[in-house]
Amino acid sequence: MILTVTLNTALDITYRVGALRPHASHRVSDVTERPGGKGVNVARVLAALGHEATVAGFAGGATGQVLRERLAGVPGVTDALVPCAGATRRTIAVVDELTGDTTQLNEPGPQIEPAEWSAFLDRYEELLPSASAVALSGSLPPGVPVGAYAGLVRTARAVGVPVLLDTSGEPLRRGVAARPDIIKPNAEELAELTGSHEPSRATQDARRRGAHAVVASLGPQGLLAATPEGRWRAAPPARVHGNPTGAGDSAVAGLLSGLVERLSWPERLARAVALSAATVRAPAAGEFDAAAYEDLRARVAVAGVVSVA
């Protein structure tokens, strides 16, 4: 079982419109709802790849109830969410069908009380012995300590469970110091962490700060990885247009599944890039186009994974 932690879960709602215009009314051609939040997206992709995944975090209010009902219908995903009094947030993605661009609106998360945080920590420690790997993903809702991820990394490492951390800002800075096995920042998050806007230098610096391996997302340019075994860059064969929501989470699923399956780093990166690009092509947030994934995976593995000096 792979454990994914989403402290700030969400109900992802995707609207599709013919063309998005400011200050205008729009007729929505299609609406989809999915249980979301970064770690929930990771779990759904892991399950589609054939791995058992367990989702931990918080869910509350009417939105949280809908999220849990939808999550119950996802094969291979187990709900281990802790109830909270506050309402789970919604995220709204508006897809412009004319341009393929997406506009994202993210609500704030619920206030987490000390007793609720304590209940989550108990649940986390109960789940770890059965986990082959852990993903700690996304923002921290109000009330959760800023050093929360650092503590969760240390707890997992104490029982020998590898950890991937995917967050930003101060939670990332503190989390890196706890020595996670992998971090997956985007270029902006990596620059904020290290002060360097040159990705190759920044990934190396992030490793010196404590991360065992660093996989930086460079958007349409793919991934750049700095690991103890070497450094690689992986890129899709062509730029992919569509809804980018959840693309980074699919990359996390590719990296984690590859770790559990003991794939080489180039194989992990090829899978992660193909999944990310296939997610951009999917019509709804947090899903991936299976046919596109199979096509892209072979082409990334052949042409996209190269060593960098």
Side-chain angles (χ1 to χ4, degrees):
M1 176 270 285
I2 299 177
L3 176 61
T4 72
V5 172
T6 312
L7 297 176
N8 210 4
T9 56
L11 184 66
D12 288 339
I13 302 170
T14 303
Y15 295 132
R16 301 185 72 85
V17 299
L20 183 61
R21 301 182 304 276
H23 316 298
S25 296
H26 295 78
R27 186 175 298 277
V28 176
S29 60
D30 184 65
V31 182
T32 58
E33 288 186 349
R34 295 289 189 278
K38 294 179 72 64
V40 175
N41 293 336
V42 172
R44 187 164 50 241
V45 175
L46 286 170
L49 294 172
H51 290 270
E52 293 293 321
T54 295
V55 173
F58 297 101
T63 308
Q65 182 60 36
V66 173
L67 183 150
R68 300 188 80 163
E69 290 171 357
R70 297 296 178 92
L71 198 60
V74 181
V77 175
T78 298
D79 176 354
L81 295 167
V82 172
C84 63
T88 295
R89 66 193 177 121
R90 296 171 297 176
T91 66
I92 312 296
V94 183
V95 179
D96 184 325
E97 294 179 326
L98 181 64
T99 64
D101 293 335
T102 300
T103 299
Q104 189 79 17
L105 304 172
N106 296 328
E107 295 181 353
Q111 175 74 31
I112 302 302
E113 300 301 327
E116 294 167 343
W117 177 238
S118 180
F120 167 79
L121 292 176
D122 290 343
R123 179 72 55 85
Y124 182 70
E125 291 182 5
E126 290 169 3
L127 292 167
L128 276 177
S130 301
S132 55
V134 177
L136 305 175
S137 303
S139 60
L140 301 178
V144 172
V146 70
Y149 281 138
L152 297 180
V153 170
R154 293 188 186 100
T155 300
R157 287 182 57 84
V159 294
V161 179
V163 184
L164 186 154
L165 177 62
D166 181 16
T167 188
S168 61
E170 186 65 11
L172 175 60
R173 189 184 70 81
R174 297 197 187 193
V176 166
R179 305 187 66 79
D181 295 86
I182 306 171
I183 63 169
K184 196 211 69 64
N186 61 32
E188 181 180 345
E189 293 161 350
L190 184 63
E192 183 182 6
L193 173 66
T194 65
S196 173
H197 291 273
E198 202 291 303
S200 183
R201 183 178 297 110
T203 53
Q204 291 292 81
D205 183 60
R207 286 198 65 221
R208 286 191 290 269
R209 291 168 185 260
H212 189 65
V214 180
V215 180
S217 174
L218 306 180
Q221 285 73 49
L223 299 174
L224 176 66
T227 81
E229 289 78 28
R231 294 187 289 168
W232 292 270
R233 187 161 186 165
R239 186 182 181 95
V240 178
H241 296 278
N243 182 359
T245 305
D249 306 326
S250 291
V252 168
L255 295 170
L256 269 185
S257 61
L259 182 155
V260 170
E261 295 171 28
R262 300 184 183 278
L263 300 182
S264 68
W265 269 105
E267 290 173 310
R268 296 184 208 180
L269 293 167
R271 176 181 288 183
V273 167
L275 281 169
S276 180
T279 299
V280 174
R281 286 192 182 179
E287 306 288 343
F288 72 90
D289 184 316
Y293 166 60
E294 293 298 335
D295 172 61
L296 288 162
R297 183 176 59 169
R299 292 197 286 152
V300 170
V302 171
V305 179
V306 296
S307 177
V308 290

